[in-house]
Amino acid sequence: MELLKERIRKDGVIKAGNVLKVDSFLNHQMDIALFNEMGKEFKRRFADVRIDKILTIEASGIGIAAIAAQYFNVPVVFAKKAQSINLDGTMLSAPVESFTHKRKYEVIVASRFLQQGENILILDDFLANGCAAMGLCQIVEAAHAHVAGIGIVIEKGFQQGGEMLRAKGLRVESLAIVDGMDAETQTVQFRA
Ligand code: 5GP
């Protein structure tokens, strides 16, 4: 998606440790006009599949999932990263290792929000090693629902997540795939 690539080139900051900081338009401040275009693009790419619900993970996935959901006309469920007294009923959970925070946590969804047989579109802001997406897939499977696809805003193609998910037969659509980035020159290389 050209508009997104241009924005990453203009406002993305490359940090040490293969981290791309895009907090001026995606992860902290959110550019809603851009989010709308990304939502339309996800809808265009998944136009041929039935989607009953969008599943994402707090916190950064929520904004894009909520905007995209308006084009799919479906509810959004976001997995929580911590137990809370407001979580009740049967829970589905999966372990996730955070790429940015380097720690392990559980992602949790109340089972009543994912029904057997539903077609679920997983959306997230970044795909790196694929741990977050795999955790969400495990939750969908545990609910006896079906992963219709995985939509990612920025995939870091030089990390193994995308390859791992596609090798499992999952349909992954990334709006921008970064194949390389250089912190010294602050340049990003995109997959064509
Ligand atoms: P994964 O589980 O695929 O290794 O990492 C995905 C999660 O880590 C995303 O939900 C995102 O929050 C975070 N993440 C991974 N790489 C980056 C990055 O380069 N920049 C930012 N801002 N977040 C990242």
Side-chain angles (χ1 to χ4, degrees):
M1 184 183 173
E2 243 358 273
L3 188 67
L4 173 63
K5 291 184 192 171
E6 272 168 31
R7 193 59 181 272
I8 296 169
R9 277 194 201 98
K10 183 166 146 292
D11 292 331
V13 178
I14 300 152
K15 297 289 203 188
N18 282 334
V19 172
L20 176 61
K21 227 175 150 206
V22 283
D23 57 357
S24 65
F25 63 94
L26 182 64
N27 288 138
H28 198 358
Q29 176 168 258
M30 298 184 285
D31 181 336
I32 300 303
L34 176 65
F35 276 36
N36 269 314
E37 293 309 312
M38 299 194 296
K40 280 183 213 165
E41 181 64 13
F42 280 130
K43 175 64 193 171
R44 194 182 66 78
R45 293 194 189 200
F46 289 104
D48 58 323
V49 271
R50 195 192 88 213
I51 304 292
D52 299 311
K53 208 166 266 179
I54 292 175
L55 176 65
T56 189
I57 185 165
E58 68 176 357
S60 293
I62 297 175
I64 180 62
I67 299 275
Q70 297 181 106
Y71 298 98
F72 288 88
N73 224 348
V74 297
V76 175
V77 176
F78 66 90
K80 301 202 178 208
K81 288 180 179 168
Q83 266 294 354
S84 128
I85 50 164
N86 286 325
L87 274 170
D88 53 10
T90 316
M91 299 299 154
L92 302 169
S93 70
V96 167
E97 194 165 342
S98 158
F99 175 78
T100 38
H101 299 110
K102 309 276 180 235
R103 65 180 179 87
K104 283 191 179 158
Y105 58 90
E106 290 279 311
V107 281
I108 309 161
V109 174
S111 61
R112 68 184 183 281
F113 296 128
L114 292 177
Q115 300 296 319
Q116 180 171 354
E118 278 181 331
N119 264 4
I120 308 294
L121 174 63
I122 292 174
L123 289 186
D124 206 2
D125 59 341
F126 268 91
L127 177 60
N129 294 324
C131 212
M134 270 312 296
L136 294 179
C137 286
Q138 278 173 34
I139 285 178
V140 172
E141 278 162 29
H144 304 289
H146 173 68
V147 178
I150 301 175
I152 299 290
V153 176
I154 304 174
E155 174 178 342
K156 291 191 291 181
F158 54 88
Q159 291 181 257
Q160 83 270 14
E163 209 176 309
M164 189 249 307
L165 296 169
R166 291 182 182 102
K168 286 180 184 296
L170 292 161
R171 176 164 169 192
V172 182
E173 292 282 350
S174 301
L175 303 187
I177 303 182
V178 173
D179 269 339
M181 49 190 205
D182 187 336
E184 226 166 80
T185 56
Q186 286 295 309
T187 47
V188 179
Q189 227 178 293
F190 291 103
R191 192 170 299 178

